[in-house]
Amino acid sequence: MKINAYRYLKYYKKEMILGPAFKILEVIFELITPFLMAYIIDTGINRATEFNDYSAIYIPGIIILALSVLGLSSTLVCQYFASIASQGYGTKLRNALYEKIMGLSLREIELVGKGNLVTLITNDVNRVQLSVAMMVRLVLRAPALIIGSLICAFIIDYKFAFIFLGVVIIISLILFFVIKYSSKRVLTTQKAVDELVTISNDSLSGIRVVKAFNNEEYEINKFKDKTSAYYKEMKKVNLLNAITNPVTFLIINIAIVLIVYFSGVSAINGTDLSSGNLTSLISYLNQILLALIVVSNLVVIFTKAFASKKRIENILSMEPSIKNNPKYKDLKIKNREPIFVFKNASFKYETGDNLVVSNLNFEILKGETVGIIGGTGSGKTTIIKLLERFFDVTSGHILYKGVDIKDYDLTSLHDEISLVNQRAVLFKGTIKSNLMMANKNATNEDINNALKDACAFEFVSNYKDGIDHEVEEGGKNFSGGQRQRLSIARSILKNSEVLILDDSTSALDYLTEKTLRNNLKSKENLTKIIIAQRISSLQNADKIIVMYHGNIEAIGRHDELLKTSKVYKEIYESQEVK
Ligand SMILES: Nc1ncnc2c1ncn2[C@@H]1O[C@H](COP(=O)(O)OP(=O)(O)OP(=O)(O)O)[C@@H](O)[C@H]1O
Ligand SMILES: [Mg+2]
């Protein structure tokens, strides 16, 4: 379903109507003023000099003053409505977008790219938000001023008004071509900015690697290449704008000269254009000029906003590829009954050409400890992504608790499985807030027990503030092994039926890992799936799955595999202390 990003304006109908209405009031006041000025010049000054009667000067003078105060107040009111509407709209749109992104499946998030998503909720939303402010403040004002000034000019003197019309047409044509050229450029510069964001995101998040490899210069040059592409594009746009403004002023000034000239000629011919009317014609011309310049700026703002709007709408209209079909939930099974069954399951990533795992056939029983081992890239993490239903199998089936995993309620599924990722992920907050993500009702005692099970209790209690110790962005104030233990503690706290450790003990020393293994062993109802590179991490498992290039090479217990699996034996021998 196509979603219009402007739909969130519906919450600000009042502001969207009242704002422009006040702006139109201001335009009317602005258009009346030159008439009054003309009256002062033509009638007021005459009366003052001939009859010493100043009323025709100060009465219109006071009215002009009152009109400008009213005009200013209308502008302020309009500005107020504009900021309520645009800020409120921006907030609503940003929240909706974020909610949408959170609901998408990994497939879509990987396709769009995380960097792009960040640009979308910041830059792109800002641009659309600005367009809303402009809609309230200027979109009606500029044409109203142009048309109003033209009408006033026709009222004053239709012959001179044709000069106005000519000027408006010529300048509009020039602006049209400038805008047509620059909007294309604006879109290319936008792409250049996006690339800048992506590149800097990538380099900054990998800054340690960049520094370790002394690669700063390479990164700087990569960045410079992109900034210079951006610079070149922007130079062209700005040059054009730089020429456009003086040209517009020149045309207006020529028009003023023409009007003054023709008014002189008509004075000679006896058909007089009064000096008051001449002054007001000139001020109408100036108003047209200013309004036209506003229009050209508006077009640039809207060109950018529409491009951003389209990108936002693409995301808002996306449907998550993983559909929740909650036919089953909270199913209970007995110990040693199959909890996961893979039947000829194969999977291929959207961006890849080949199957990364193929024809997987195996069973995992409730309460079992299952190890998965195999070379890097052999498909271990992919199996986990399928178990969690982050992705659906390309062919074959996965049964969870005896039913097709696609029919199991996704929320229940994720509640029942607890995953520790290959890369320990912590969030800004405290140790406690990080752990409680897994279980909102956990007491301090539960948290401490989980920390004990994960061998993290000791180092956490060394902090003065214990579990309230601060966790910085990405957990960067912890060592790799500490991060791993905290994320294991979080998964244990979740108290789920299945615990998956995806290479999550790689940074732990042998002794700590052994203690952790023993702690987990005592949880008999917990199904444990342990991916590891070290044989010692999983040699006591009930079942070990050996992966080789996306296929299962063998399944069995440690001692069986030493006899039957070539790959397992090789790994074992490579790790033997000689
Ligand atoms: N998001 C992705 N998009 C495209 N291809 C991917 C993606 N993730 C993994 N792959 C590919 O799938 C294959 C299996 O990856 P997987 O992460 O399952 O390996 P692994 O066995 O967990 O390796 P490791 O021990 O290094 O963690 C690899 O060849 C990898 O290139
Ligand atoms: Mg992996």
Side-chain angles (χ1 to χ4, degrees):
M1 189 183 60
K2 190 85 192 147
I3 286 177
N4 189 335
Y6 280 143
R7 74 195 302 193
Y8 302 100
L9 283 178
K10 66 176 179 224
Y11 300 102
Y12 300 96
K13 277 188 195 135
K14 191 182 80 193
E15 287 81 2
M16 296 300 291
I17 294 170
L18 286 180
F22 275 91
K23 205 73 203 184
I24 293 291
L25 265 185
E26 188 216 322
V27 170
I28 294 173
F29 298 149
E30 263 180 59
L31 289 174
I32 295 176
T33 309
F35 272 111
L36 293 168
M37 288 296 288
Y39 181 76
I40 293 178
I41 295 171
D42 291 342
T43 317
I45 295 179
N46 267 350
R47 281 206 203 157
T49 43
E50 283 180 28
F51 311 107
N52 217 10
D53 169 13
Y54 286 89
S55 62
I57 294 182
Y58 69 73
I59 293 177
I62 289 170
I63 300 177
I64 290 180
L65 199 65
L67 285 182
S68 23
V69 172
L70 282 176
L72 188 69
S73 321
S74 312
T75 311
L76 287 179
V77 175
C78 169
Q79 218 83 311
Y80 170 75
F81 284 132
S83 67
I84 291 190
S86 64
Q87 295 294 342
Y89 166 80
T91 310
K92 286 231 158 38
L93 178 64
R94 202 169 278 124
N95 288 345
L97 195 56
Y98 200 65
E99 203 172 300
K100 185 77 202 189
I101 293 170
M102 283 290 157
L104 288 177
S105 310
L106 281 185
R107 174 181 163 269
E108 289 81 49
I109 293 185
E110 281 182 9
L111 277 181
V112 183
K114 291 181 199 124
N116 285 344
L117 290 174
V118 174
T119 324
L120 218 61
I121 32 187
T122 48
N123 264 6
D124 289 295
V125 172
N126 282 349
R127 291 208 178 108
V128 185
Q129 182 178 319
L130 181 66
S131 76
V132 170
M134 292 301 134
M135 266 186 229
V136 179
R137 285 172 41 196
L138 299 173
V139 163
L140 268 185
R141 181 181 190 269
L145 256 185
I146 296 173
I147 295 170
S149 299
L150 272 175
I151 293 175
C152 292
F154 272 98
I155 292 175
I156 292 172
D157 192 316
Y158 73 91
K159 286 190 280 338
F160 287 103
F162 280 112
I163 299 182
F164 273 62
L165 203 57
V167 167
V168 172
I169 292 172
I170 293 173
I171 299 182
S172 305
L173 280 178
I174 294 179
L175 288 180
F176 175 76
F177 286 111
V178 169
I179 285 162
K180 212 173 145 202
Y181 174 83
S182 59
S183 19
K184 252 192 259 152
R185 297 270 168 214
V186 164
L187 295 184
T188 26
T189 52
Q190 174 122 10
K191 277 211 192 87
V193 174
D194 287 348
E195 280 175 16
L196 270 185
V197 174
T198 313
I199 284 191
S200 45
N201 257 349
D202 217 26
S203 314
L204 288 176
S205 57
I207 189 73
R208 266 197 273 176
V209 182
V210 171
K211 289 209 174 285
F213 283 97
N214 284 331
N215 235 12
E216 290 95 331
E217 192 146 324
Y218 172 75
E219 294 297 330
I220 291 171
N221 286 336
K222 210 162 65 173
F223 192 78
K224 272 188 185 161
D225 278 351
K226 289 292 165 199
T227 42
S228 78
Y230 176 62
Y231 166 75
K232 276 187 200 138
E233 285 297 322
M234 272 325 273
K235 205 164 88 176
K236 285 181 199 157
V237 175
N238 288 344
L239 190 70
L240 194 69
N241 286 347
I243 300 172
T244 319
N245 279 357
V247 169
T248 337
F249 273 100
L250 185 71
I251 294 173
I252 292 280
N253 284 331
I254 292 176
I256 292 177
V257 171
L258 282 180
I259 288 177
V260 174
Y261 172 76
F262 283 120
S263 74
V265 172
S266 59
I268 295 166
N269 293 342
T271 49
D272 209 356
L273 179 70
S274 71
S275 29
N277 282 345
L278 179 63
T279 328
S280 45
L281 278 182
I282 291 174
S283 52
Y284 285 129
L285 259 186
N286 276 327
Q287 263 164 355
I288 291 182
L289 169 72
L290 293 179
L292 281 171
I293 289 174
V294 169
V295 170
S296 67
N297 289 336
L298 279 182
V299 172
V300 174
I301 290 175
F302 275 94
T303 312
K304 285 185 186 171
F306 283 149
S308 291
K309 180 171 166 276
K310 211 162 142 196
R311 283 153 42 118
I312 291 173
E313 285 169 352
N314 279 344
I315 302 291
L316 285 178
S317 315
M318 264 185 183
E319 286 298 328
S321 50
I322 303 293
K323 298 257 183 324
N324 194 14
N325 181 24
K327 242 188 186 159
Y328 303 98
K329 62 189 282 192
D330 305 329
L331 291 184
K332 299 276 173 279
I333 57 165
K334 292 202 197 81
N335 249 4
R336 304 289 148 176
E337 278 182 351
I339 185 160
F340 287 106
V341 180
F342 275 53
K343 286 186 172 171
N344 284 326
S346 301
F347 176 72
K348 173 179 119 38
Y349 285 101
E350 192 81 11
T351 44
D353 298 327
N354 303 320
L355 291 175
V356 289
V357 290
S358 46
N359 286 321
L360 302 182
N361 285 297
F362 64 87
E363 269 187 8
I364 294 176
L365 309 181
K366 185 173 161 71
E368 235 183 359
T369 300
V370 174
I372 305 180
I373 198 166
T376 59
S378 59
K380 303 180 297 292
T381 302
T382 305
I383 293 181
I384 304 307
K385 290 181 189 164
L386 296 175
L387 285 180
E388 283 262 15
R389 214 182 155 219
F390 291 149
F391 295 93
D392 276 333
V393 282
T394 313
S395 65
H397 297 281
I398 298 176
L399 302 184
Y400 176 64
K401 294 186 174 173
V403 302
D404 193 322
I405 197 166
K406 291 180 186 166
D407 294 333
Y408 206 83
D409 179 45
L410 264 180
T411 318
S412 298
L413 181 73
H414 292 156
D415 273 344
E416 290 164 26
I417 302 177
S418 193
L419 168 67
V420 184
N421 266 309
Q422 193 158 7
R423 243 177 75 185
V425 183
L426 296 178
F427 299 90
K428 196 171 163 52
T430 60
I431 293 181
K432 188 172 170 178
S433 72
N434 265 280
L435 264 70
M436 285 192 57
M437 270 180 73
N439 181 351
K440 289 175 200 67
N441 305 318
T443 60
N444 281 1
E445 198 189 336
D446 297 334
I447 293 178
N448 285 335
N449 285 338
L451 287 170
K452 279 178 195 154
D453 282 341
C455 302
F457 185 71
E458 204 185 311
F459 86 83
V460 172
S461 35
N462 279 339
Y463 295 123
K464 267 207 299 283
D465 41 2
I467 54 172
D468 292 318
H469 192 72
E470 197 178 332
V471 176
E472 283 170 25
E473 188 191 334
K476 62 173 184 237
N477 54 334
F478 293 95
S479 75
Q482 287 171 336
R483 270 202 296 271
Q484 283 193 337
R485 277 178 280 170
L486 287 177
S487 48
I488 293 172
R490 176 171 59 200
S491 294
I492 292 176
L493 186 67
K494 191 168 169 189
N495 220 350
S496 51
E497 290 180 56
V498 183
L499 176 69
I500 303 174
L501 303 182
D502 185 355
D503 213 356
S504 337
T505 52
S506 57
L508 304 189
D509 57 78
Y510 279 87
L511 197 63
T512 313
E513 200 199 355
K514 200 170 160 200
T515 322
L516 173 74
R517 258 199 326 267
N518 284 335
N519 294 345
L520 291 181
K521 207 170 166 188
S522 62
K523 298 179 188 295
E524 281 176 3
N525 292 331
L526 181 67
T527 310
K528 291 147 267 199
I529 303 176
I530 297 170
I531 298 183
Q533 307 280 2
R534 296 201 292 240
I535 297 263
S536 62
S537 310
L538 38 72
Q539 65 182 358
N540 295 322
D542 300 307
K543 186 186 280 171
I544 300 168
I545 300 172
V546 184
M547 292 297 296
Y548 184 70
H549 291 304
N551 294 299
I552 296 179
E553 194 250 2
I555 301 183
R557 299 180 67 95
H558 172 72
D559 38 351
E560 291 164 5
L561 288 174
L562 283 179
K563 289 181 211 129
T564 56
S565 163
K566 197 170 146 260
V567 176
Y568 191 80
K569 196 156 172 267
E570 263 173 26
I571 299 175
Y572 178 74
E573 281 167 0
S574 70
Q575 293 178 3
E576 245 180 342
V577 186
K578 298 229 167 69

